[in-house]
Amino acid sequence: MNLCIDEARLSRELEILGAISESPPPVTTRVLFTEADLRGREFVKQLCRDAGLTTREDAVGNTFARWLGKDPDLPAVGTGSHIDAIPNAGRYDGTVGVLGGLEAIRALARGNFRPRRSIELVIFTSEEPTRFGIGCLGSRLLSGLLEASAAEHLKDRSGTSLDQARLQAGFAGPLSGVRLRDGYYSAFVELHIEQGPILEARQIEIGVVTAIAAPASLRIWIEGEGGHAGAVLMPDRHDAFLAAAEIALGVESAARSTGAMDTVGTVGVCDVFPGAVNSIPNRVRIEADVRDIDQARRDDVLRKIAETCDQVATRRGVQIRIEPLNADPPAQCAPAVVDVLIQACDACGFRYMRMISRAYHDSLFISRIAPTAMLFIPCRSGFSHRPDEYASPEAIGQGTLVLAEALASLAGAA
Ligand code: HGY
Ligand code: MN
Ligand code: MN
């Protein structure tokens, strides 16, 4: 097909969405159900309505914008990603898949393509774990990987429950109604920045994702003994922060110990109580993120972290409690959908490479209920989850063009 992507419009929309943030530009922060998140949702929904799509939202805020096909009763072809952003983030993570997906649909309509199967754009709620500690909240509920009963107990750091937060944001109805029926999508494709340096380094336009790494995250609580920083002698201390510091170093050494480059471990959250320079920390909460494409190797790292916690607890005379947040299996992308993406790359004349995704995405969970694959585009130096995250209008346009070709192929012509 002779499709044309409106790169200038797509870039403008990404800029506008990027500036809908709790932080001043160039930083984007858009945490679940904050005022910025709700404004961002409204902005994208209006663009979908302007494009003639019918929109709906479910009880947790997953948003669907459907281009009705000639055979509306057939399972639709899905595409989409997320628009929530962690603190101090960039403006392309997730949004390229949402606004690129919308532009792919608009380009098909401008090219007088009419789909046989409906094509549905999805904005997944809370892909980032920032507010409730677990990532992909919306797609976990859609795929049934997270039961509504378990989700209802989630609370954020202020003690607000997911139910309270979503109702305040205007999303009512039972969470049990979020789960999609089997066969709801005939196929799903997510466009996303690579969040790594490989495509740019090899000067390849498109990454065709064949597998998504297995993420796990832990919350670790350390209870020590507080006291006066001047009066308590060193041998008498049970400093919760120093115990946490040893555990954080243990996360790093456990990840390195597998010898595999695919194993990664990070401690990205550390709350110290009472947080006064002259008071010995008596309570610390840290959160660890452990991933690998090999689930058994990842689980080995989790076991090593637990052993480290036991040793530190004994040696330092502190109490340590591990609260597992998630430990998901990796996803294999559907070969049939991967083939369609490769054919679309060939049709557009772009170089591509098969690759795994070290970041997780909503496709990790949608792949449980529909044949799924992902398209990556290069981002500058592989930077992501930081304000200097950047993907060029040309790269975004190329990814969007391949996506449009793939959606047309998967939906069939009316
Ligand atoms: O952490 C991730 O992999 C995703 O960006 N939330
Ligand atoms: Mn992210
Ligand atoms: Mn993302």
Side-chain angles (χ1 to χ4, degrees):
M1 273 184 290
N2 188 16
L3 296 173
C4 178
I5 300 300
D6 188 338
E7 286 184 12
R9 176 178 184 180
L10 184 45
S11 292
R12 214 170 34 252
E13 290 168 350
L14 283 162
E15 290 298 306
I16 295 168
L17 182 53
I20 299 177
S21 162
E22 295 146 65
S23 322
V27 179
T28 296
T29 301
R30 210 167 31 239
V31 175
L32 177 67
F33 296 153
T34 57
E35 186 266 341
D37 179 32
L38 300 182
R39 273 194 300 126
R41 288 161 177 267
E42 273 317 307
F43 171 66
V44 177
K45 277 190 295 186
Q46 188 54 52
L47 292 177
C48 292
R49 287 190 287 264
D50 296 347
L53 307 185
T54 48
T55 61
R56 72 176 179 89
E57 295 161 324
D58 68 18
V60 78
N62 291 308
T63 302
F64 306 85
R66 181 166 282 224
W67 184 16
L68 220 53
K70 175 173 160 290
D71 295 332
D73 298 334
L74 284 176
V77 174
T79 187
S81 192
H82 62 99
I83 66 165
D84 62 319
I86 67 170
N88 197 48
R91 55 183 55 189
Y92 300 95
D93 173 6
T95 54
V96 161
V98 172
L99 293 174
L102 175 59
E103 177 54 21
I105 289 170
R106 289 185 306 217
L108 286 169
R110 285 194 303 266
N112 296 317
F113 173 82
R114 291 293 172 267
R116 177 163 173 251
R117 293 176 182 275
S118 299
I119 297 177
E120 187 165 76
L121 178 68
V122 189
I123 308 172
F124 293 103
T125 269
S126 191
E127 190 271 353
E128 300 293 3
T130 309
R131 181 153 186 194
F132 287 101
I134 182 169
C136 298
L137 198 47
S139 49
R140 286 176 192 271
L141 285 164
L142 284 170
S143 59
L145 269 289
L146 176 66
E147 292 294 335
S149 53
E152 277 149 8
H153 296 299
L154 292 173
K155 287 192 187 307
D156 68 12
R157 289 187 186 189
S158 70
T160 303
S161 71
L162 172 63
D163 270 351
Q164 289 164 324
R166 70 185 179 91
L167 292 169
Q168 279 162 11
F171 301 110
L175 285 184
S176 55
V178 169
R179 180 167 184 169
L180 293 176
R181 66 178 180 281
D182 290 350
Y184 180 85
Y185 287 125
S186 59
F188 188 87
V189 180
E190 179 172 4
L191 171 64
H192 205 284
I193 55 171
E194 180 199 337
Q195 296 177 302
I198 298 170
L199 291 174
E200 182 189 56
R202 297 190 191 179
Q203 296 191 325
I204 292 176
E205 286 95 342
I206 301 289
V208 177
V209 176
T210 54
I212 303 171
S217 56
L218 305 168
R219 191 170 286 153
I220 304 174
W221 305 84
I222 300 107
E223 293 282 340
E225 204 168 308
H228 193 292
V232 180
L233 304 180
M234 295 310 281
D236 302 332
R237 293 190 178 196
H238 302 284
D239 185 324
F241 173 71
L242 294 177
E246 279 202 63
I247 293 166
L249 289 171
V251 169
E252 181 191 38
S253 59
R256 287 179 184 275
S257 70
T258 71
M261 289 306 284
D262 290 330
T263 321
V264 290
T266 315
V267 173
V269 172
C270 179
D271 291 336
V272 180
F273 183 84
V277 68
N278 56 351
S279 173
I280 302 167
N282 74 332
R283 189 171 68 247
V284 171
R285 172 181 105 158
I286 60 176
E287 291 186 10
D289 176 310
V290 176
R291 310 185 194 197
D292 197 318
I293 195 64
D294 177 310
Q295 184 173 355
R297 221 167 33 206
R298 186 222 39 211
D299 291 346
D300 257 350
V301 172
L302 295 175
R303 268 190 292 281
K304 285 198 176 99
I305 292 169
E307 286 163 14
T308 301
C309 288
D310 287 344
Q311 291 156 10
V312 170
T314 308
R315 192 162 4 94
R316 289 183 170 273
V318 297
Q319 303 293 321
I320 297 178
R321 175 169 64 89
I322 297 177
E323 179 190 351
L325 297 173
N326 70 288
D328 303 292
Q332 298 304 318
C333 293
V337 182
V338 167
D339 288 347
V340 167
L341 299 188
I342 287 173
Q343 285 153 22
C345 290
D346 290 339
C348 298
F350 297 145
R351 283 161 304 184
Y352 67 87
M353 63 177 279
R354 293 164 181 260
M355 59 199 302
I356 62 164
S357 172
R358 299 179 191 286
Y360 62 73
H361 303 280
D362 292 300
S363 291
L364 177 65
F365 299 97
I366 298 302
S367 66
R368 304 289 199 290
I369 56 171
T372 297
M374 291 186 73
L375 286 168
F376 274 173
I377 58 166
C379 52
R380 187 170 53 201
S381 307
F383 291 162
S384 184
H385 281 192
R386 45 192 274 187
D388 54 354
E389 176 186 272
Y390 177 77
S392 70
E394 186 196 14
I396 296 168
Q398 289 169 341
T400 302
L401 182 62
V402 172
L403 177 64
E405 287 281 351
L407 293 176
S409 169
L410 291 164

